[in-house]
Amino acid sequence: MDKELLNKGVLRLEWARSHMGVLAEVRRELVKSGALKGKRVGMALHVEAKTGILALTLKEAGAKVRLTSCNPLSTDDCVALALNERHRLETYAKKWQSNKEYYESLHKVLDIKPQITIDDGGDLIFLLHTERKELLDGIIGANEETTTGIIRLKAMEKDGALKFPVIAVNNAKMKFLFDNRYGTGQSTFDGVMNSTNLLIAGKTFVVAGYGWCGRGIAMRAKGMGARVVVTEVDPVRAIEAHLDGFDVMPMSEAAKRADFIVTVTGCRDIITEKEFKVMKYGCVMANSGHFDNEISKVDMKRMSKSVRRVREFVDEYALKDGRKLYLLAEGRLVNLAAGQGHPVEIMDMSFAIQALCAQHLALNGRRLKPHVYDVPTEIDDKVAALALKTNGIELDSQSKVQKAYLSTWREGT
Amino acid sequence: MDKELLNKGVLRLEWARSHMGVLAEVRRELVKSGALKGKRVGMALHVEAKTGILALTLKEAGAKVRLTSCNPLSTDDCVALALNERHRLETYAKKWQSNKEYYESLHKVLDIKPQITIDDGGDLIFLLHTERKELLDGIIGANEETTTGIIRLKAMEKDGALKFPVIAVNNAKMKFLFDNRYGTGQSTFDGVMNSTNLLIAGKTFVVAGYGWCGRGIAMRAKGMGARVVVTEVDPVRAIEAHLDGFDVMPMSEAAKRADFIVTVTGCRDIITEKEFKVMKYGCVMANSGHFDNEISKVDMKRMSKSVRRVREFVDEYALKDGRKLYLLAEGRLVNLAAGQGHPVEIMDMSFAIQALCAQHLALNGRRLKPHVYDVPTEIDDKVAALALKTNGIELDSQSKVQKAYLSTWREGT
Amino acid sequence: MDKELLNKGVLRLEWARSHMGVLAEVRRELVKSGALKGKRVGMALHVEAKTGILALTLKEAGAKVRLTSCNPLSTDDCVALALNERHRLETYAKKWQSNKEYYESLHKVLDIKPQITIDDGGDLIFLLHTERKELLDGIIGANEETTTGIIRLKAMEKDGALKFPVIAVNNAKMKFLFDNRYGTGQSTFDGVMNSTNLLIAGKTFVVAGYGWCGRGIAMRAKGMGARVVVTEVDPVRAIEAHLDGFDVMPMSEAAKRADFIVTVTGCRDIITEKEFKVMKYGCVMANSGHFDNEISKVDMKRMSKSVRRVREFVDEYALKDGRKLYLLAEGRLVNLAAGQGHPVEIMDMSFAIQALCAQHLALNGRRLKPHVYDVPTEIDDKVAALALKTNGIELDSQSKVQKAYLSTWREGT
Amino acid sequence: MDKELLNKGVLRLEWARSHMGVLAEVRRELVKSGALKGKRVGMALHVEAKTGILALTLKEAGAKVRLTSCNPLSTDDCVALALNERHRLETYAKKWQSNKEYYESLHKVLDIKPQITIDDGGDLIFLLHTERKELLDGIIGANEETTTGIIRLKAMEKDGALKFPVIAVNNAKMKFLFDNRYGTGQSTFDGVMNSTNLLIAGKTFVVAGYGWCGRGIAMRAKGMGARVVVTEVDPVRAIEAHLDGFDVMPMSEAAKRADFIVTVTGCRDIITEKEFKVMKYGCVMANSGHFDNEISKVDMKRMSKSVRRVREFVDEYALKDGRKLYLLAEGRLVNLAAGQGHPVEIMDMSFAIQALCAQHLALNGRRLKPHVYDVPTEIDDKVAALALKTNGIELDSQSKVQKAYLSTWREGT
């Protein structure tokens, strides 16, 4: 065991914990309620410090927790070590896993016969519905963290395939408005700057997708001085991007101008041969979407005479035509693979939702039919209230007269 | 008749028309469909150039239109004159109307026994349900333009008072995402800068309310170099404002620091005696919300030893304690009273929605029960498509493979 | 005499005065020093409210003042009337003057045989050196307000033509850093928005010149949501604009994309036939530079089959090829012609410099050789200190230890 | 020898080289001119990849180069190894050096009896004037990279102590406008985000000093969503910061509100006991100024009951009163110690200036008297031209008519 690595992990967990005040309040409630006592919880989330604190929170609330990562590149090895060795929380995750190892870890988590699962991308739920159907009976319900996972689960529900209730944690206002936007915005630049040491200012920075994540990235790219180009398939979002001052165009056109491209669409094949063909020498590509299929590595490899790793998270594709293109973090979530993931305070809010939804499932899951549920409003409101308190923000409140005014229709001009 | 004023109005209408390409396309469709032919339409919208083009659009589509303003201060007199004299469109509106005159004008509009009404704030609908009940039978349905009107109508529906179908035009994505945000954002500064000639940069600029309008104003205040403070009653919006880099605090605290305050909450009594008491000498207040009750003129008058008009749209309240406070445009919509209202291109989109909703009512209104309806998705989509075309924005489109991918749940990590 | 106009002017002056706290302090000093007592001062500055307060300041300090405008379109007629009628300050200025009238007014100002002149663009100084040489002997010195005037005066000095000392007021830090940047930035949008009512967000907004004025305009265009393009002839400024996130390209290229173009270069022929040829239908052009020769009206007229005024400050050029182009305020300073000029608080600082420089000339001018002088550092510092006080800004101050540290070279790593 | 580390360093150098196109052009010129052939050059610059390419450039131009770092924490060990082992460039530098080791390394560099020195902070020049006076005769001249070094050298010159010519590389427009502003702006956030994983958005971020570096940091803090507070001692800069929309106040006040403080003043004792006393629990401090004396570690240690390292670059000071404060990178340049230093493209321009100034000294230094010289304009212009070319930026150029116009004074209104 690497003591230095262990110590680093222990401290990272401590640092995260000391900046997660919302989750701390939730932890007190969970411990008090006892709802999770003895529950088996299987988790597949990016294994880094903030996730560690969520897992420890559930453990401290009495749950039996097993944890693995939801992406082969998003594990912080020192944290995984510290969780296992110091906190005795069973963690099966390693950075730079092969796909085979990745799936083996998922199975390890399922081996505890979870009653509740927490997914980010839906891989545990998928396995439960395919290779591990024998476990379905034991499942009370599941949480799903991310947009991509929810698209997948709604497809599942539409197919009539979904066998247990799932809470769409992503759809809580206190999650997607903050985690997807300000979280992805900042952490993507953490990853890009850390992996390349290149200048953002003055660069043409293409953002594929203007959902909550995409607008976070575009906003920060602008804030760092880039000239931002947005690509979209949705007309309304495209007009929003346009009026936010960004250039909007098809990717085939954007690719010609790009110095950087970050994809965050949740869809596959956003950049393919067609786009690689027209890129400038030196274009740097990264992905902040859930899966590594937004930028086609297959196409790029086919077009290349060689590929080599030129920095820790930078692969250089030397195309047959002489151009060189750069892909960060193998096209996997650049903010987690090459950066440290979302800022602690953002995950504090997201994971407070997660923890309360886990408790909600423990208390009510058995009564719920298979369906993708939104987060109960009370949970969203509670986390909002705690976040206000933690940030020391004071609001106005509506007086009786004001409330009455808003419910009358007789007062006009 | 003032020929110069007439000519000014004629040109303003022409200028607006030449920059409303989306509405032009809609006009061609309306003329072709004939759905509005012979329909009597009563309109109460801010009578300025863009509204004029909407009214003329309906007229050109065959409707019999009568128009008045929805606010005593928002009429552009040259446009009203040109509509009456050049375009023979009956318009009953005048800037600086008294409340009595204002209501007389609304009645004039109702005197045509409208089948369809178009409101901004709900005053026509209110009259129809109270003083003009005899007209209710003739009504097919109504459009409502603004957030405040919709709050009022939903209160009406909840009370069981609503007697005909209303379309909540405001709730179309192509309306509130653009009109409320970028429209109010720009036009509020048009009004504030025009009426005061004061510097925005470096000032403490308080925005009351962080809804779509409020965030538009806050965004532009920041863009003009102000230090922005936001007040809110909603926790989630408050945290958004906080993470957008704005100071968030109660109005009683914000008022102490404010150089400018703009209210845009849709609620009454946002600034009252309590706040006037703590303001700095010279604080400038304005309102961009629908009604003029957000800033309590009653309280301010009571606290003042004198009130005088010091610039066209600036009233100076000399408080008994020696401080002077300034109120723009009598606390009525500053962007319309002291500015020229939203930019033309923004109203082009909003009024395309209006025109298509009027057609929708003409075609389907008789089949609809009394209820506040959202704008049909097809109308929103059509306007989005036209706006893309008008702005020359090209999008990506999803391939079959991509669509299939998004509807499968079997592809994971 | 138009009483309403007079009253408007009286109030505008009062409003300006009440927001010019720095100049008020300077006024107290000037009155006390008596340096300007009996001095004849000829002024050619944009005749609007803030300038009125400068002129009145000099008058109140004992000077005999005569005032005219420095641009045929920049006079606020109500202010000119109030200065003449209420304040008995001789003012020869009128909006929409012909060039002939403009020069007649300049001569009227010179007819008082000024000892000190205050120019904005150098027209008084030019006349003194050409048609009115008989007055040269009486001149103590002159102030010049703007970049363009100083370029002209330095050319004069280089030619050996300059006959008296001139203070380059523009070059005071408390002037160009604020007036040129934040002043021009805000007031240009006041003018553009007021004259067009068009949307800025999402538009391609071209700024010609990235000097202090240009970067003010670019900064605000970005703040209003535009996509900004900068044109430059200076390499370093071009790279700055590039790294500030703007597109940089030749005007011939920029003109193809422009929705708006504002010139602010101080040079002639920035937009000529070559650029008009490639513009999009509907392109709106304006100038915020001193003279109206940045956009070639000659070329545009030659290419047009008709020209007409479509809004108060908008001329429509109908080109022979069918396109229509729009020029604001006849290509004269759009911020003064179509807007209300710089915000009051900005001119407060600039005119405090002016007033103190006038006093400096009265006291020391006779000892100064003909030359273009920078503003004395003490004057700059005094205005900075007053501006801090007026804005309520507190600074840190260096301790003795810190001062000593900064003057030693012996302390290293 | 650590092969993995070596390989990492080799690749980092290659990556930097491939993004330094301006320096590449300069290298071709230097090789061709032969001016540096055989010259002994002693360098004390932050030893990381970009500096490596500058050192190699001089070596490839024929110089004999010895290199060490100018800060005990700014060395990238893999680069130092690669320079020594792969490129045979003598490099004496190590991360986390003690002060003693740091000075030993400086002496090692001086042991080659340099003819030209290149400093960042002036430590080599200081040693040459104190402990190593025997080498003064051999010195042709020196370059100095940074503001702090130049303040120190000007103090030296004022004392009459300076014995050879020094070029103030920092004062080249192509250096300070870009390196200090956009470079420090980005790299400071690289360091802060990398070391803390904390959220920037919504935080109160205090920047001490609004020079070129400070405004770079403030601009990026705003771009990342922070609420920015600026502290200053200079009135004009303070008003600029105020009008740029930042809060300006004394540090004693700012410290109360700060979530983050970054010092970049070039002066000592910016944060001392007085400020530590009022800080909030958890305040994070960092320094981007040259020396580690801006934040008083002495005071903070005295006030603490314990200090421990909680993350790689984060020291936790547990104050006796129970609060915990955090200091990044021991108060040394956070962007180099905890980040990767300025973006490559920025250093490309700065180091092109360095290389050309070294050549200038080699050619002309013997004729120059001891004095702190500005960079020759031709060098600044050459680098600007190369930077334009490298970035593919096209400019307008002035026509003869325009040039003539700008040199005449006879054309007026």
Side-chain angles (χ1 to χ4, degrees), chain D residues 46-77:
Chain D
H46 306 294
V47 176
E48 41 80 63
K50 289 89 70 180
T51 300
I53 301 305
L54 171 61
L56 289 173
T57 291
L58 302 180
K59 184 168 184 276
E60 289 161 28
K64 176 169 171 46
V65 178
R66 207 173 264 188
L67 171 66
T68 185
S69 193
C70 57
N71 185 298
L73 239 68
S74 66
T75 297
D76 184 338
D77 285 335

Side-chain angles (χ1 to χ4, degrees), chain C residues 46 71 73-74 95 184 186-196 205 217 261-263 284-291 295 313-314 327-341:
Chain C
H46 306 294
N71 185 297
L73 240 69
S74 66
K95 192 150 190 153
T184 311
Q186 179 170 328
S187 63
T188 296
F189 284 90
D190 183 19
V192 168
M193 280 157 52
N194 185 50
S195 53
T196 67
F205 198 105
I217 298 171
I261 308 181
V262 175
T263 54
V284 174
M285 287 169 277
N287 169 52
S288 287
H290 188 75
F291 290 122
I295 301 166
F313 300 105
V314 185
L327 180 64
L328 305 187
E330 301 184 353
R332 298 191 188 274
L333 288 156
V334 72
N335 50 345
L336 282 147
Q340 298 179 44

Side-chain angles (χ1 to χ4, degrees), chain B residues 8 11-12 14-15 18-19 48 50 182 186 189-190 193-201 203 219-220 222-225 282 284 308-312 314 316 326 340-346, chain C residues 8 11-12 14-15 18-19 48 50 182 186 189-190 193-201 203 219-220 222-225 282 284 308-312 314 316 326 340-346:
Chain B
K8 190 176 171 186
L11 287 170
R12 285 207 167 190
E14 188 185 328
W15 176 259
S18 69
H19 290 86
E48 40 80 62
K50 289 89 69 182
Y182 310 101
Q186 179 169 327
F189 285 90
D190 184 18
M193 281 157 52
N194 185 50
S195 52
T196 67
N197 194 222
L198 294 179
L199 182 65
I200 309 296
K203 296 299 179 61
M219 176 171 74
R220 292 296 171 246
K222 184 181 177 183
M224 298 296 290
V284 175
R308 62 173 189 146
R309 181 143 301 170
V310 294
R311 281 172 64 103
E312 198 176 359
V314 184
E316 177 187 274
Y326 298 99
Q340 297 177 44
H342 291 357
V344 184
E345 301 92 327
I346 289 292
Chain C
K8 190 175 169 185
L11 287 170
R12 285 208 166 188
E14 187 184 328
W15 178 258
S18 69
H19 289 88
E48 41 80 62
K50 288 89 70 182
Y182 309 101
Q186 179 170 328
F189 284 90
D190 183 19
M193 280 157 52
N194 185 50
S195 53
T196 67
N197 194 223
L198 293 180
L199 182 65
I200 309 296
K203 296 299 178 63
M219 176 171 72
R220 293 294 171 247
K222 185 181 176 182
M224 298 295 290
V284 174
R308 63 173 187 144
R309 181 143 301 170
V310 293
R311 280 171 66 103
E312 198 176 359
V314 185
E316 177 187 275
Y326 297 98
Q340 298 179 44
H342 291 357
V344 184
E345 300 92 327
I346 289 291

Side-chain angles (χ1 to χ4, degrees), chain A residues 183-251:
Chain A
T184 310
Q186 178 169 327
S187 63
T188 295
F189 285 91
D190 183 18
V192 169
M193 281 157 51
N194 185 50
S195 52
T196 68
N197 194 223
L198 293 179
L199 183 65
I200 309 296
K203 297 298 178 64
T204 299
F205 198 107
V206 176
V207 181
Y210 205 61
W212 290 105
C213 293
R215 59 191 69 196
I217 297 171
M219 177 171 73
R220 293 295 170 246
K222 185 181 177 182
M224 298 296 290
R227 296 175 293 151
V228 179
V229 176
V230 168
T231 71
E232 249 302 336
V233 294
D234 178 82
V236 176
R237 286 177 173 177
I239 301 172
E240 278 187 282
H242 176 75
L243 291 191
D244 284 340
F246 303 128
D247 277 303
V248 179
M249 61 187 73
M251 181 54 88

Side-chain angles (χ1 to χ4, degrees), chain C residues 53-281:
Chain C
I53 301 306
L54 171 61
L56 290 172
T57 291
L58 301 180
K59 185 169 184 275
E60 289 160 27
K64 177 169 170 48
V65 178
R66 207 172 263 188
L67 171 66
T68 186
S69 193
C70 56
N71 185 297
L73 240 69
S74 66
T75 298
D76 184 338
D77 285 335
C78 72
V79 168
L81 186 64
L83 286 172
N84 271 314
E85 297 300 323
R86 179 63 51 93
H87 295 285
R88 301 296 158 197
L89 193 147
E90 296 174 336
T91 306
Y92 298 85
K94 207 178 61 169
K95 192 150 190 153
W96 303 108
Q97 279 182 320
S98 69
N99 246 41
K100 184 160 167 289
E101 290 168 318
Y102 172 76
Y103 274 95
E104 284 168 4
S105 299
L106 290 173
H107 280 289
K108 283 278 186 197
V109 162
L110 294 180
D111 289 347
I112 56 160
K113 301 181 182 168
Q115 295 160 295
I116 292 169
T117 62
I118 299 182
D119 250 321
D120 183 331
D123 283 342
L124 285 180
I125 295 176
F126 173 74
L127 286 183
L128 284 166
H129 284 76
T130 52
E131 297 176 40
R132 303 298 293 269
K133 289 183 181 168
E134 78 280 7
L135 298 173
L136 281 172
D137 272 358
I139 300 287
I140 300 172
N143 288 349
E144 168 53 46
E145 170 78 4
T146 200
T147 318
T148 292
I150 287 162
I151 290 171
R152 211 173 163 195
L153 288 162
K154 293 210 163 161
M156 222 164 156
E157 185 177 2
K158 211 179 154 194
D159 279 7
L162 188 67
K163 299 299 183 203
F164 51 75
V166 183
I167 304 187
V169 168
N170 181 72
N171 294 359
K173 284 202 264 183
M174 290 305 298
K175 201 276 180 182
F176 77 87
L177 284 176
F178 302 101
D179 183 313
N180 303 22
R181 191 165 31 158
Y182 309 101
T184 311
Q186 179 170 328
S187 63
T188 296
F189 284 90
D190 183 19
V192 168
M193 280 157 52
N194 185 50
S195 53
T196 67
N197 194 223
L198 293 180
L199 182 65
I200 309 296
K203 296 299 178 63
T204 298
F205 198 105
V206 177
V207 181
Y210 205 61
W212 291 105
C213 293
R215 59 191 71 194
I217 298 171
M219 176 171 72
R220 293 294 171 247
K222 185 181 176 182
M224 298 295 290
R227 295 175 293 151
V228 179
V229 175
V230 169
T231 73
E232 248 302 337
V233 295
D234 179 82
V236 176
R237 285 178 174 177
I239 302 172
E240 277 187 283
H242 176 75
L243 291 192
D244 284 341
F246 303 130
D247 277 303
V248 179
M249 61 188 74
M251 181 54 89
S252 53
E253 194 56 40
K256 290 180 196 166
R257 318 180 177 195
D259 296 304
F260 292 95
I261 308 181
V262 175
T263 54
V264 62
T265 67
C267 191
R268 58 178 290 176
D269 298 333
I270 300 306
I271 313 184
T272 61
E273 181 169 2
K274 185 182 169 195
E275 287 80 22
F276 296 133
K277 273 187 174 163
V278 298
M279 285 178 186
K280 292 192 294 188
Y281 188 106

